């Protein structure tokens, strides 16, 4: 028996950083934890790398996707645009997987069988 | 005006190396050039890295995707399985892009406008 194949998507625009699985997971973790550092930790990333990714995401879109509350232990949250981007990406993923189901099964048959 | 977004796919199977854009491009270059080193050069990769990728692709599937002709300047070519994998991946890509068209347009509207 071979195992189920999964599709992972990356969205590319010319001359812009790509939007992929990692950035979307980061936005989801941010929504969940309400904190940039907690979201980064959950993904095993340094605070600096997390912050740079959030900044790059905010630059990529017209409106910021992530905002921080002013003040000390303020935390961070997704804007309506941030939520829309996550929703959109996950929908694209679902639609793509459904559309490609037959071909993925075809590809699966060509794979080396799983050694358990 | 924002530019058209493109989808790039990666196919993941549990406990196996992923199959993505780079490996498929390598197979296509191999089919075109008939040579592992020429295919690698076309993609800016060292011979060693190219060879390791070809080997990893051959391990991933039941049948080898790439075979070399015995003898000195023998060259390499895709097997029927190699051609099937490329065709399958490109079909998945096309079907996914068609299915996601509306959502991609939605996401596109949220992007920072292109500065020309």
């Amino acid at each position: 028996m071979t195992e189920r194949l999964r599709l992972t998507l990356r969205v590319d625009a010319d001359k812009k950083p790509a939007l992929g699985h990692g950035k979307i997971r980061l936005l989801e973790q941010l929504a969940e934890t309400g904190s940039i550092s907690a979201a980064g930790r959950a993904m095993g990333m340094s605070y600096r790398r997390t912050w740079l990714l959030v900044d790059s995401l905010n630059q990529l879109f017209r409106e910021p996707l992530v905002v921080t509350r002013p003040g000390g232990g303020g935390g961070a949250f997704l804007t309506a645009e941030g939520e829309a981007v996550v929703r959109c990406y996950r929908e694209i993923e679902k639609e793509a997987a459904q559309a490609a189901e037959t071909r993925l099964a075809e590809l699966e048959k060509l794979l080396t069988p799983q050694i358990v």
Side-chain angles (χ1 to χ4, degrees), chain A:
Chain A
M1 254 319 267
T2 54
E3 71 278 44
R4 290 283 294 158
L5 294 182
R6 294 178 309 281
L7 273 188
T8 304
L9 305 183
R10 202 183 66 205
V11 180
D12 292 290
D14 291 332
K15 297 175 202 159
K16 290 213 175 91
L19 179 68
H21 182 72
K23 284 177 186 163
I24 296 296
R25 274 304 291 142
L26 177 60
L27 291 175
E28 288 171 338
Q29 287 289 343
L30 252 157
E32 226 171 86
T33 62
S35 144
I36 292 183
S37 54
R41 261 200 312 276
M43 296 184 65
M45 297 193 307
S46 70
Y47 183 73
R48 186 181 147 74
R49 181 161 156 68
T50 312
W51 195 91
L52 288 173
L53 268 181
V54 167
D55 189 50
S56 133
L57 273 164
N58 278 349
Q59 307 270 346
L60 188 54
F61 290 92
R62 283 171 191 271
E63 307 286 336
L65 306 189
V66 176
V67 288
T68 51
R69 280 177 233 277
F77 60 99
L78 295 197
T79 60
E81 283 75 16
E83 285 168 9
V85 167
V86 171
R87 205 167 44 235
C88 220
Y89 178 93
R90 290 303 185 198
E91 279 297 322
I92 289 171
E93 199 167 57
K94 208 193 296 174
E95 287 167 349
Q98 277 164 3
E101 207 166 7
T102 312
R103 295 282 176 185
L104 278 174
E106 205 179 303
L107 195 58
E108 205 171 298
K109 286 197 203 107
L110 300 173
L111 284 178
T112 311
Q114 183 81 351
I115 300 135
V116 190

